[in-house]
Amino acid sequence: MYVADSRASGAPSADGTARAPDRPGRRRAAVAPTVLALGTVSLITDVSSEMVSAVLPLYLVAGLGLSPLGFGLLDGVYNGVSALVRLVGGHLADRGRGRHKAVAALGYGLSAVCKPLLLVVHGLPLIGAVLAADRTGKGLRTAPRDALISLSSAPGAQGRAFGVHRAMDTTGALLGPLAAFLVLRATTDGYDAVFTVSFCVAAVGVLVLVLFVPGPARPPAAPARGRGPAPAAARPTLRAALALLRRPEIRRIALCALLLGLATVSDSFVYLLLQRRLGVPEGWFALLPLGTAAAFLLLAVPLGRLADRVGRRTVFLGGHVALLGAYGLLLTAGPGGVLPFAGLPYAVLLLHGTFYAATDGVLMAAASQSVPAALRSSGLALVQTGQSFARFVCSLAFGAAWTAWGDRTALGAFTVLLACCLLAVGRAPRGTPTTAPPATGTTSEEAPA
Amino acid sequence: MTTRARVLVLVCTIVLLAAVATASVLHAAARSERKDRARPGGPGVSAGRVALVGGGGGRIVFRNMAWGPHRDELSSVPADRPGAGRTASGVRCLRFHAAAGTGICLQAVHGAVQDSYRAVVLDSRLHVRAHYAVGGVPSRARVSPSGRLATWTVFVDGDSYANSTFSTRATVLDTRTGKLIPSLEEFRVVRDGRPYHAADVNFWGVTFAADDRHFYATLATQGRTYLVRGDLATRTVTTVHDNVECPSLSPDGTRIAFKKRVKGLPADAPWRLYVLDLRTGRETALAETRNVDDQALWRDDSTLAYALPGDYGADLYTVPADGSGAPRLLMKAALAPVYLGTG
């Protein structure tokens, strides 16, 4: 079941089942306007936030003369807070109609006002507090935004919709640092200018959200007419949100994400390993995340569409096979390695980006199919938080393994672990298909590009 | 609201915000011109020749921070008259150190989009002998007493895409052979007598012994810092003391000046200047009571020089190394000093 979006034009569609083409005689737009609007919001917001992230170390060291060490320690805490806030945001968004947009706007707005605050606070604790508020905003908005994306897309086109959104999001992440460094280049110690510009950009993002993302979708009566799974249970209470885990198909997806997350070594470690084992030169180190992002950007849409066609589960697992490949390359290379060819770092980054493109949006697309519309936001938040939690545990475990055994053995162990998790998940019964759209979807939704 | 009205609102707001953004960029750009004009009352700076050897008498060579056309240039003043007019070399450095006619200069390279940084080995006439790309913001630099080895530490922003983890990278260079140790993280670590591996090991603030083989540095892991003694021949570092950052070995090789993280101080100003006696392990607090975030420099065996934040970025102070006396202002608007032709 899904709730079709109400278009910017405000024309409501007829019912909660399959959506008729927009205008008779014309092919339905490939991606819903709401998704494009949300993609634009994410693009703009990411330009804004990545502008700040890109210059923050420089600002702390060169601008304020602070020592940034130990700052990273708090990062895990922030990410933990952000994951919890995500659950809260997801739950809040499901309570009452049209709350998705309101909660998302609150999240985007909170992050936006943090930018000028960076200008006025100067001590490390206060800067930490502002960054925590910024993360809180990010946590709040993620689940309602993803819920809006899924609610405004046809069941058979969820993968594509999330792919388009993630590609736009990543484009912003790539443009942000560029914008920041152009500002720094044009000025002297222009950190204040970077923060001001970042705020202006963020404000535009919030405005686009408020103006162009439709609010309350439809009266809640509509879903009852769908033939999707257990429509009656769709009362957005906290208990109902937790009861989602009793649904086998959601539990399966959450467990799958959790299990694979436990073997997903964090980005920082991947880049560290790249540098140590493949000898990536100093000057390139900061560019490694851009390599992953570029591959993610290019592959998000094709892999999202592939997920719609061959099954989200297949593509999701395939993404982890790509990650397994990246681990394998890192293992076989390095000092005394057997694969000393120059393109190896590129291959690792390509596989790493493929992993994100095949898993990030695709997981949301898969989860969307099992969560009733009324609990969409909570359900997505639940799956995301489970995954983040698993990855956090994995980071701690990987750090400990590195300490105990050294980088190569640790990576070897986690490669085996990932392979085992993949086998376990791959062999598990599929149950309710996460592949094909549910019965309410019609093939007419699968509009070719 | 109609679509037309929405677009109108959006366009108007964008125009308004664009004006604010442009104004802030222009304001920050104009700052560059202000900083290129000398401030009345500031030290006189004139272009001239600066060398790392000869020249007669003791001199201090440092990064000139005074506003004006010679901002950030290596400059020199007579050691006995640090307030005298400065001679600027035209060589710009963010961090600098020199010994026995060899200088190490960490400088910014202005790129089309992003500044990058490099470490430059300078000869005694400040000509470039070699340069190396570094992967982050310069933090510390040192040359061994013989002038043979050089080291630098940079802050590496490892993961700008996903989160804000920071790390440091300490590099050691043999300027004679060109052999580079890109990161001390390659070295074996012995902590409390046992081999130690961890992903989160960071090194910074290397200081060399006179034998061009041993060195001291800060090792950080799991939220703690250690003073380590390193051996370039065996590629090993061994922890010798707790809670030591930015060590600086005295010319006689018996003491380490360092910044110590003192309990109860605010998180953004946690350090005090201490001296550790390597033979007895005894720590002595120095007379400076302000927060010091610098790798101190031994002027001689009894006096330390260090930077504190000042109106133009940084001012230099000196303090006795035995805990007595009081800090004294050495010069305003200066950073990264070395004493040449003295002792």
Side-chain angles (χ1 to χ4, degrees), chain B:
Chain B
M1 217 191 295
T2 63
T3 306
R4 204 191 148 116
R6 286 166 213 251
V7 171
L8 200 66
V9 170
L10 183 68
V11 169
C12 291
T13 315
I14 286 178
V15 168
L16 191 73
L17 289 171
V20 172
T22 311
S24 76
V25 173
L26 288 179
H27 173 78
R31 190 181 301 139
S32 144
E33 287 161 33
R34 288 199 298 279
K35 281 197 169 185
D36 282 344
R37 276 198 301 272
R39 274 280 178 99
V45 189
S46 53
R49 214 176 70 84
V50 175
L52 297 181
V53 290
R59 286 172 303 118
I60 306 172
V61 175
F62 57 96
R63 171 184 168 193
N64 170 44
M65 306 277 285
W67 288 12
H70 300 291
R71 196 165 51 96
D72 295 340
E73 290 181 14
L74 292 184
S75 304
S76 84
V77 290
D80 53 353
R81 286 182 294 121
R86 301 177 175 184
T87 306
S89 65
V91 178
R92 292 192 163 194
C93 301
L94 299 169
R95 293 289 186 275
F96 169 74
H97 189 251
T102 302
I104 187 75
C105 161
L106 304 184
Q107 57 185 203
V109 182
H110 300 294
V113 176
Q114 186 180 1
D115 282 1
S116 56
Y117 302 94
R118 63 179 194 169
V120 177
V121 180
L122 300 170
D123 68 11
S124 61
R125 294 189 299 168
L126 300 187
H127 291 158
V128 175
R129 274 173 52 192
H131 56 81
Y132 303 86
V134 301
V137 186
S139 170
R140 310 288 173 217
R142 277 293 188 269
V143 174
S144 68
S146 73
R148 174 170 177 174
L149 300 176
T151 179
W152 54 86
T153 306
V154 298
F155 286 114
V156 181
D157 170 22
D159 195 357
S160 67
Y161 179 62
N163 50 42
S164 51
T165 49
F166 298 92
S167 59
T168 57
R169 190 142 303 140
T171 303
V172 173
L173 170 73
D174 186 329
T175 64
R176 199 175 300 164
T177 62
K179 190 170 168 286
L180 191 75
I181 299 163
S183 170
L184 288 181
E185 286 165 38
E186 300 166 15
F187 278 31
R188 275 201 311 281
V189 179
V190 178
R191 187 178 73 164
D192 304 329
R194 277 197 297 269
Y196 180 76
H197 307 276
D200 72 343
V201 164
N202 273 299
F203 288 95
W204 64 89
V206 176
T207 181
F208 292 111
D211 61 4
D212 278 340
R213 172 176 168 178
H214 293 98
F215 64 89
Y216 291 87
T218 299
L219 177 156
T221 181
Q222 294 173 342
R224 299 178 65 183
T225 61
Y226 301 88
L227 175 68
V228 292
R229 185 167 197 262
D231 185 334
L232 293 169
T234 61
R235 295 171 65 87
T236 307
V237 298
T238 311
T239 58
V240 295
H241 203 82
D242 273 8
N243 195 3
V244 170
E245 292 178 65
C246 298
S248 177
L249 186 62
S250 63
D252 63 13
T254 61
R255 286 156 295 158
I256 292 276
F258 66 101
K259 56 180 213 200
K260 175 177 178 170
R261 195 175 280 267
V262 177
K263 278 210 178 76
L265 295 181
D268 52 343
W271 295 295
R272 292 290 181 269
L273 209 50
Y274 276 73
V275 166
L276 169 73
D277 188 314
L278 288 169
R279 288 165 303 191
T280 63
R282 210 168 68 92
E283 292 180 3
T284 306
L286 301 192
E288 176 59 77
T289 54
R290 288 167 288 186
N291 179 57
V292 175
D293 182 10
D294 194 12
Q295 186 173 22
L297 179 95
W298 293 81
R299 187 183 77 186
D300 48 48
D301 276 321
S302 58
T303 313
L304 288 159
Y306 53 93
L308 288 177
D311 295 340
Y312 302 93
D315 300 329
L316 293 175
Y317 290 81
T318 58
V319 71
D322 58 2
S324 68
R328 282 179 50 194
L329 180 71
L330 175 63
M331 58 177 128
K332 306 271 294 176
L335 188 70
V338 288
Y339 282 84
L340 300 173
T342 52

Side-chain angles (χ1 to χ4, degrees), chain A residues 126-144:
Chain A
L126 279 177
I127 289 179
V130 172
L131 292 181
D134 186 77
R135 295 287 168 85
T136 304
K138 191 174 166 56
L140 272 181
R141 71 197 182 220
T142 308

Side-chain angles (χ1 to χ4, degrees), chain A residues 25 31 39 57 156 175 244 278 280 304:
Chain A
V31 173
L175 291 178
L244 281 173
L278 299 184
V280 173

